[in-house]
Amino acid sequence: ENAEISGIAFQTDQTKVTFTAVEDTPGIASKILGPLSELDMKVDVIVQNVGIEGKTDFTFTIATEEKSLLDEAINNIQKSINYKEVIIDDEIAKVSIVGVGIRSHAGVAAKAFQALSENEINIGMISTSEIKLTLVIEKDDLEKAVKVLHDIFELDK
Amino acid sequence: ENAEISGIAFQTDQTKVTFTAVEDTPGIASKILGPLSELDMKVDVIVQNVGIEGKTDFTFTIATEEKSLLDEAINNIQKSINYKEVIIDDEIAKVSIVGVGIRSHAGVAAKAFQALSENEINIGMISTSEIKLTLVIEKDDLEKAVKVLHDIFELDK
Ligand SMILES: C[C@@H](O)[C@H](N)C(=O)O
Ligand SMILES: C[C@@H](O)[C@H](N)C(=O)O
């Protein structure tokens, strides 16, 4: 493919928070981000997939150093939305494959996903933009994931 | 907040495809993207949220002009993975809020989500990167969404 991969970026200082089975109706996203913003929390990844039977899951990552603010944030959020449960996970790492032309290059994603799967690394979350394919994986898999991705995209040559 | 919003980008020529209840185990993402890549399909957004009880949904968007390749792609994919159903939706629009400093600025997301909710625009999918907040909404809501976002981020001044 013609995509130019410029590098593999990663972070291990994040915690992911998932509200499961929120209503897929206008206002819910706002009622989650509002309280986070009011507490000045550093939100990085926000991922929400399509609603199924009127419900969806809503996940965001925050800086782990701000984890102490989560109780208050969740307390505020639960006053205005329904959800099944909140899952908090600080054992994650964010890995991003950065380049130009990643959009419309299913080949880059296919290559990255194949390399990770061959190394038994589970992909927890996927979020893409034109220049970046962002994956959330388990922290313990990070070192291997970065090496594997460097190898298949030939970034050390 | 200090985020600089440079603009609102949008596209209406995409179709979203969701495989529901795929197994959240290594190899599944690869078995979906592989066939898409082999058919040279233009994949743009890929969104996958966390697994719940070992299952998750996997969504990607393609150029609607390539919709005719979908039957073959799904045919190939279903040979190697289990899923509950495939949902195909070409009545979507992708809207992106582009800027610097969007990451760590829950305020930008909060502001965007509130403006959309006040206008009864449902947010179908969310995918973020440091410089871009990407939303998938219904095509019929696009014109209003772009206007609303331009207004609240004061982009016409
Ligand atoms: C789930 C959430 O994004 C909802 N669809 C909203 O528009 O706020
Ligand atoms: C769902 C899918 O991403 C799976 N977790 C994988 O690693 O391939």
Side-chain angles (χ1 to χ4, degrees):
Chain A
E1 66 285 313
N2 301 330
E4 279 292 315
I5 305 303
S6 57
I8 308 298
F10 57 91
Q11 262 180 274
T12 54
D13 56 355
Q14 296 186 346
T15 291
K16 76 167 154 68
V17 182
T18 303
F19 284 87
T20 67
V22 303
E23 288 154 35
D24 183 22
T25 52
I28 301 303
S30 175
K31 287 169 180 167
I32 294 172
L33 264 294
L36 300 177
S37 163
E38 279 152 27
L39 288 167
D40 245 332
M41 294 178 80
K42 292 193 184 61
V43 174
D44 182 13
V45 179
I46 305 173
V47 164
Q48 177 209 306
N49 209 338
V50 298
I52 306 280
E53 296 173 359
K55 298 277 163 107
T56 189
D57 302 324
F58 195 102
T59 300
F60 55 89
T61 66
I62 56 159
T64 297
E65 64 187 16
E66 293 187 336
K67 216 173 145 201
S68 55
L69 293 172
L70 265 182
D71 282 351
E72 187 178 353
I74 293 169
N75 214 6
N76 295 343
I77 290 167
Q78 73 187 10
K79 289 181 183 143
S80 57
I81 70 164
N82 295 317
Y83 56 89
K84 185 175 176 195
E85 57 178 341
V86 188
I87 303 168
I88 300 171
D89 179 5
D90 61 4
E91 285 302 311
I92 58 158
K94 184 179 84 163
V95 183
S96 302
I97 298 149
V98 188
V100 284
I102 291 201
R103 176 184 159 214
S104 301
H105 284 105
V108 171
K111 202 167 171 176
F113 297 166
Q114 180 173 14
L116 294 172
S117 79
E118 282 168 3
N119 287 274
E120 292 298 316
I121 294 168
N122 195 51
I123 299 164
M125 292 169 65
I126 302 170
S127 172
T128 54
S129 79
E130 277 111 10
I131 57 164
K132 193 188 278 203
L133 174 58
T134 295
L135 311 175
V136 169
I137 62 175
E138 287 170 34
K139 215 180 248 190
D140 291 345
D141 286 336
L142 181 66
E143 192 172 344
K144 183 153 65 154
V146 172
K147 174 176 190 326
V148 156
L149 292 170
H150 263 261
D151 287 351
I152 54 139
F153 290 113
E154 303 183 12
L155 288 169
D156 300 319
K157 303 187 176 171
Chain B
E1 66 283 314
N2 302 329
E4 279 291 316
I5 305 302
S6 58
I8 308 297
F10 58 89
Q11 264 180 274
T12 54
D13 57 355
Q14 296 186 348
T15 290
K16 76 167 153 68
V17 182
T18 303
F19 284 87
T20 67
V22 302
E23 289 156 33
D24 182 22
T25 52
I28 301 302
S30 175
K31 287 171 180 167
I32 295 172
L33 264 294
L36 300 177
S37 164
E38 280 152 29
L39 288 167
D40 246 332
M41 293 178 79
K42 293 193 183 61
V43 175
D44 182 12
V45 178
I46 305 172
V47 164
Q48 177 208 307
N49 209 337
V50 298
I52 306 282
E53 296 173 358
K55 298 276 164 108
T56 189
D57 301 324
F58 195 102
T59 300
F60 55 89
T61 67
I62 57 158
T64 297
E65 65 188 14
E66 293 186 337
K67 216 174 147 200
S68 55
L69 293 171
L70 265 182
D71 282 349
E72 187 177 355
I74 293 168
N75 215 7
N76 295 344
I77 289 166
Q78 73 187 11
K79 287 180 184 143
S80 58
I81 70 164
N82 295 316
Y83 56 88
K84 185 176 176 194
E85 56 178 342
V86 188
I87 303 167
I88 299 171
D89 179 5
D90 62 5
E91 286 301 312
I92 58 158
K94 183 178 85 163
V95 183
S96 302
I97 297 149
V98 188
V100 285
I102 292 201
R103 177 184 158 213
S104 302
H105 285 105
V108 172
K111 202 168 170 175
F113 296 166
Q114 181 174 13
L116 294 172
S117 78
E118 282 168 3
N119 287 274
E120 293 297 316
I121 294 168
N122 195 52
I123 299 163
M125 291 169 65
I126 303 169
S127 172
T128 53
S129 78
E130 276 110 10
I131 57 164
K132 192 187 275 202
L133 174 57
T134 295
L135 311 175
V136 170
I137 61 174
E138 287 170 33
K139 216 181 248 190
D140 291 346
D141 287 336
L142 181 65
E143 192 172 344
K144 183 154 64 153
V146 172
K147 173 176 193 324
V148 155
L149 293 170
H150 263 261
D151 287 350
I152 53 139
F153 290 113
E154 302 183 11
L155 288 170
D156 300 320
K157 303 188 174 168

